Amino acid sequence: MTDSALVELAFSMLPRAYCPYSHFPVGAALLCDDGSVFTGCNVENAAFGSSFCAERTALVKAISEGRRDGFVKLAIAGNSDDYCWPCGSCRQMLYEFAPELEVLIAKGDHAYVSLPLKELLPYGFGPDYLK
């Protein structure tokens, strides 16, 4: 799958977002090494701490379907004028399962940049630190 196709899959999730508080829909598409893709959108909650970001939704869907590794690329899309950067919680959760992940970050005009997760979360804390 091309990077632009993965970004468009992330954009296709925006209408599914549940964001009555922020009014900021976000979509994500997580590509695995076997070509499978898991999508997600943000799901807000009146108790804000209980909300889920699109990135974590896609990752949790993959994990709940039995995936634990093989995550190679994640696209994140929002309708903003600036790039839709992942929050710290998402960066940490992604690092747990895919420290070598490539992240495609898009803005509303569908332009995107590509960065390695390790650049977004330098010196990340992962499972190896607990051994």
Side-chain angles (χ1 to χ4, degrees), residues 40-112:
C41 61
N42 54 324
V43 180
E44 295 179 350
N45 189 282
F48 296 136
S50 299
S51 297
F52 275 91
C53 298
E55 306 91 290
R56 283 184 282 152
T57 299
L59 180 63
V60 169
K61 283 172 65 176
I63 293 165
S64 72
E65 294 296 321
R67 296 299 303 238
R68 295 290 186 271
D69 55 25
F71 306 118
V72 294
K73 207 173 285 190
L74 173 73
I76 307 164
N79 283 328
S80 58
D81 291 336
D82 197 0
Y83 294 101
C84 191
W85 301 102
C87 74
S89 294
C90 288
R91 294 174 197 206
Q92 178 59 48
M93 187 125 171
L94 292 165
Y95 191 90
E96 176 84 11
F97 293 94
E100 301 301 323
L101 189 70
E102 179 184 352
V103 185
L104 308 173
I105 303 156
K107 55 184 179 174
D109 66 0
H110 295 233
Y112 62 91

Side-chain angles (χ1 to χ4, degrees), residues 2 16 18 97 106 113 119:
T2 66
R16 296 184 181 185
Y18 178 73
F97 293 94
V113 295
E119 191 171 319

